[in-house]
Structures are given as C-alpha cells and as structure tokens.
Amino acid sequence: MLTAVFLLSSSPVTNKKPIAVVAGDGIGKEVIPNAIEVVKASGAAVEFTHFDWGADRHLADGTTIPPDAFQMLARDFDAIFVGALGDPRVPTNIHAKEILLGMRFKMDLYANVRPVRLLDASLCPLKNATTADINFTVIRENTEGVYMDMGGVFKFGTPDELATQEDINTRKGVERVIRFAFEYARSNGRKKVLMSDKSNVMTYAGGLWQRVFKEVAKEYPDINTQHMYVDALCLQMIRQPQSLDVVVTNNMFGDIITDLAAALQGGLGMAASGNIHPGRTSMFEPVHGSAPPIAGKNMANPMGAILTAAMMLAHIGLAAEAQKIEDAVTQAVREKKKTADVGGSMGTRECAAWIGERVAR
Ligand code: NAD
Ligand code: IPM
Ligand code: MN
C-alpha cells in the first residue's frame, strides 16, 4: 500500500510519451517550433521538453552540452527532436560537434536512416520523374569512419605540413549497420540492399565492407543484393533512381549522397532523418543545416522538420498520427502551400500552419 502511494505521488500517471527538443541554431529555431505545432494538431500523446543547447547558450556561458546530458536523454525520453547546429559566430563548430555528433556517438545511434521519397512529381529536378521513381532509403553508418576525428598534423603551418584523417571501420560497426539495412529492408517490404563503397581505392576499409556484406547477406536469402562504387551510385541516383531500394554506406559517403538525394525530393528543405539504435532513445533531425543566410526571415521550409517529426512519431509507436502528418504535407505540396525554395510563396509559419490545420481536421 505504501509503495503504491509512493509510486502514485512521485510519478504522476501520464500516457504521454516524453520527447526532448533541441531546436539549436539558425532555421532550426524556426522549423522545430512550427513542426511541434503540427504534432500537437495531430493529437499525438507526446510531451515536449525543450533544451536550449546551441550557439546562443554556448556564447553566453560556454556550455555545449552538459556532461550528464546523454545519460539523462536516454533515461528520461522516448525520442529526441533536433533542429540544426551550426553558427558563423562559432567558427570552430565545437558546439555542433559536441551536441549533434555527441548524441550520435555517445548514445551510439549507429544507423542514420534517411528516406528518399518524392511527394509530388513537381518537386523533382529530373525530367519526367514520377513519385514511384524516387522511393528509396539510405542507411548511413553513423558512429565511425572519418567522423571519429582521428588524425593529426605534423609540421603545422610550414611548407612541409602533413595532415592525416583516419577512416575507422570496425568489424562490429560495419556488421551492425549492414545487418540493420537488411532488417530495415525486411520490415519495410523492400526487396534489395545495395552496399556502396570505394573499395577499388580504399582497399582495406572497402575490403572489410565487402566481406561483411557478403556474409550478412547469406542470412537474408529473401533480399537481393547489389554493390556499387559510390561515384557510380551518384550517377545512378540521377539516371535510374527507380532502381534503388535500400542503400547502405559509410558515414562520409552517406552524408554526401543524402544531400544529392535531398535534391531529388525537392531540396534540403524536404529531407527527413532518424539516428537510430534499435531499442534505445533515438534522435530525429531534418537533413538540412542551420542555413544562416535565411535564418530568422520566416523563409525556411518547415516540411523536412515536419516529415522528421512524423518519422519520430512512427518510431515511437504513433503510426496513425505520423501518417496523418505525412498525408497533410503531401497535400500541401500538391496545393502549392509551400515555401520559396520549392517554388511556393508561403512563409515558414504560414506553411506549417496550413499543414497543422489540415492535420487537425
Ligand atoms: P544548409 O543545409 O544549412 O544549407 C544549404 C543550402 O540549403 C542553403 O542554400 C540553404 O539556404 C538551403 N536550405 C537548407 N535548409 C533549408 C530549408 N529548410 N528551407 C529552405 N532552404 C534551405 O547547409 P550549409 O550551408 O552547408 O551549413 C550551414 C550550417 O549548418 C553549418 O554550420 C553546417 O555545419 C550546419 N549543418 C548542420 C546540420 C545539422 O545540424 N544536422 C546539417 C548540415 C549542416
Ligand atoms: C548532416 C550534417 C552533419 C554531418 C554535420 C553538421 C556534422 O551534414 O547531418 O548531414 O556531416 O553528419
Ligand atoms: Mn550532411
């Protein structure tokens, strides 16, 4: 009896799923609050807690992210919703590195899932492309590679200067992200996993990826496999995007090809992503950055952030709300209720408000 009373008074019963929010810098501070309004309009049973980590906070008191934050986020939240980090007033980008890459690395969010879906043919820069043609997912390794920041300089600032940047690939890291790609394919009705690398030049790292890919593929006889060098993949993304299904690649290649993939969807303002470790608190962020030149002008496209919010809701089990939001974004594109970067004339707030109203219907 005492225990029951204690439980009731210390943890009020709430069915709302807790979500941590880091709007961050630049347009992150515009698109995230607007996307949150859309989530609220969907009726999703979630509760947002805001954290002010970003350039302003860093410039004010030196904080990037408090040391115990990663444990706290993993313990107290079902998901994290992040805007963008990066501000010209912090030229070292140290805060972005510690907050964004900090979450990816220290929370071990090893699979960066970046869906590439064209919502309406009018958004695609390719001639005659249909929505069916552009529908694939990039699974980007998210905790290794050149992002591990291993390397150094020798004879700094002299004509003989030497700089190295190591590309770290562990057997465990490669294997788990490749397995994630196959599992993703299976659970999303996808038929093929394509692994992309540059093993013709990066023979050691590429060799590991090649061997592991072949081994893991044996466990998934129902899924077709393909390999393509990453330069050839760039060509394929433009020439025959319809041939792509699930693409798995390393951290750096995944970063680069997903900006190209964003262009296929209408631009960076349309692209969503999730940084996932199955079973753990995962982090969701639009693919775009803080876009300093358009920040604070009500110009940023909120759709990438809104679609990211939908992805997050689906991940935490709120699939119906996620679908409502995606449908409303698609409708907004069709009815030209969109921002200038994708050929519309609406502001950030007006575009998001239209989508929110649609969702609330
Ligand atoms: P960016 O994505 O901020 O901008 C690239 C181009 O796309 C710009 O022309 C910008 O105006 C446009 N753009 C991006 N998002 C848009 C949106 N929602 N609506 C309309 N237009 C949009 O990339 P950048 O200029 O290379 O980087 C700016 C800063 O953001 C840098 O500090 C960079 O490190 C950081 N960055 C952060 C993230 C992140 O936090 N996830 C991602 C990429 C870049
Ligand atoms: C992204 C961004 C980041 C990355 C930067 C801001 C560190 O470009 O999320 O795509 O390179 O991963
Ligand atoms: Mn990027």
Side-chain angles (χ1 to χ4, degrees):
M1 188 57 189
L2 269 178
T3 316
V5 170
F6 173 76
L7 282 176
L8 275 177
S9 57
S10 67
S11 55
V13 180
T14 161
N15 296 323
K16 292 190 173 174
K17 294 175 186 279
I19 295 178
V21 180
V22 181
D25 304 331
I27 62 168
K29 288 193 278 195
E30 296 169 80
V31 296
I32 295 300
N34 277 291
I36 285 175
E37 289 308 313
V38 175
V39 172
K40 287 183 181 161
S42 78
V46 294
E47 190 164 32
F48 294 101
T49 302
H50 295 262
F51 295 92
D52 66 352
W53 307 321
D56 289 340
R57 172 79 186 272
H58 178 58
L59 289 166
D61 70 6
T63 303
T64 55
I65 184 164
D68 59 351
F70 302 113
Q71 275 167 307
M72 177 273 293
L73 291 168
R75 186 187 60 228
D76 297 344
F77 294 94
D78 284 11
I80 311 163
F81 189 32
V82 174
L85 280 310
D87 187 304
R89 294 171 300 163
V90 187
T92 58
N93 218 23
I94 180 70
H95 70 299
K97 208 161 154 185
E98 294 193 1
I99 299 166
L100 185 73
L101 298 184
M103 285 180 195
R104 290 182 187 168
F105 279 74
K106 296 196 172 149
M107 299 181 76
D108 203 27
L109 306 177
Y110 66 86
N112 193 328
V113 178
R114 297 188 157 184
V116 185
R117 274 180 40 225
L118 179 62
L119 295 185
D120 190 77
S122 64
L123 292 179
C124 189
L126 301 184
K127 261 189 285 180
N128 307 323
T130 66
T131 51
D133 291 336
I134 292 159
N135 182 1
F136 60 97
T137 302
V138 177
I139 310 292
R140 164 187 177 188
E141 201 293 319
N142 215 27
T143 54
E144 300 194 343
V146 295
Y147 281 75
M148 283 188 84
D149 208 18
M150 291 180 67
V153 288
F154 184 55
K155 297 189 179 176
F156 180 81
T158 74
D160 296 325
E161 182 165 349
L162 175 160
T164 62
Q165 195 83 46
E166 299 290 338
D167 180 28
I168 309 298
N169 297 264
T170 68
R171 162 85 209 195
K172 283 181 189 153
V174 173
E175 186 178 329
R176 68 180 180 174
V177 77
I178 287 177
R179 182 164 280 112
F180 183 100
F182 279 100
E183 289 292 332
Y184 180 93
R186 247 187 203 167
S187 50
N188 288 279
R190 300 277 187 178
K191 298 283 174 262
K192 183 172 74 180
V193 176
L194 181 153
M195 190 275 278
S196 190
D197 62 18
K198 190 69 186 161
S199 51
N200 47 351
V201 177
M202 302 170 74
T203 50
Y204 308 112
L208 177 62
W209 278 78
Q210 293 274 352
R211 277 180 284 121
V212 173
F213 185 59
K214 286 191 185 112
E215 272 177 45
V216 174
K218 287 189 195 136
E219 296 168 31
Y220 299 87
D222 48 320
I223 306 289
N224 296 318
T225 61
Q226 195 181 356
H227 170 264
M228 207 172 274
Y229 297 126
V230 70
D231 46 353
L233 175 61
C234 289
L235 182 77
Q236 187 79 351
M237 283 170 63
I238 304 301
R239 297 290 296 270
Q240 279 191 305
Q242 68 276 18
S243 70
L244 302 171
D245 207 353
V246 175
V247 174
V248 63
T249 191
N250 76 18
N251 207 339
M252 178 57 84
F253 297 150
D255 177 46
I256 296 168
I257 67 168
T258 51
D259 266 31
L260 179 58
L264 294 174
Q265 303 167 80
L268 273 167
M270 298 301 301
S273 84
N275 300 257
I276 314 284
H277 185 128
R280 293 198 195 169
T281 300
S282 294
M283 184 264 278
F284 296 80
E285 45 161 354
V287 174
H288 66 73
S290 55
I294 61 164
K297 297 180 178 165
N298 197 36
M299 283 172 71
N301 185 348
M303 289 179 174
I306 294 170
L307 292 167
T308 298
M311 197 177 167
M312 173 173 72
L313 295 182
H315 186 82
I316 60 173
L318 301 172
E321 291 85 345
Q323 191 62 52
K324 256 199 291 190
I325 293 174
E326 272 188 36
D327 291 347
V329 173
T330 307
Q331 201 56 37
V333 173
R334 286 192 189 135
E335 296 192 24
K336 307 218 175 315
K337 307 294 181 195
K338 51 188 188 171
T339 48
D341 57 304
V342 280
S345 57
M346 278 182 144
T348 310
R349 284 187 296 274
E350 293 70 26
C351 174
W354 191 92
I355 295 167
E357 272 167 36
R358 186 92 197 180
V359 164
R361 270 191 210 169

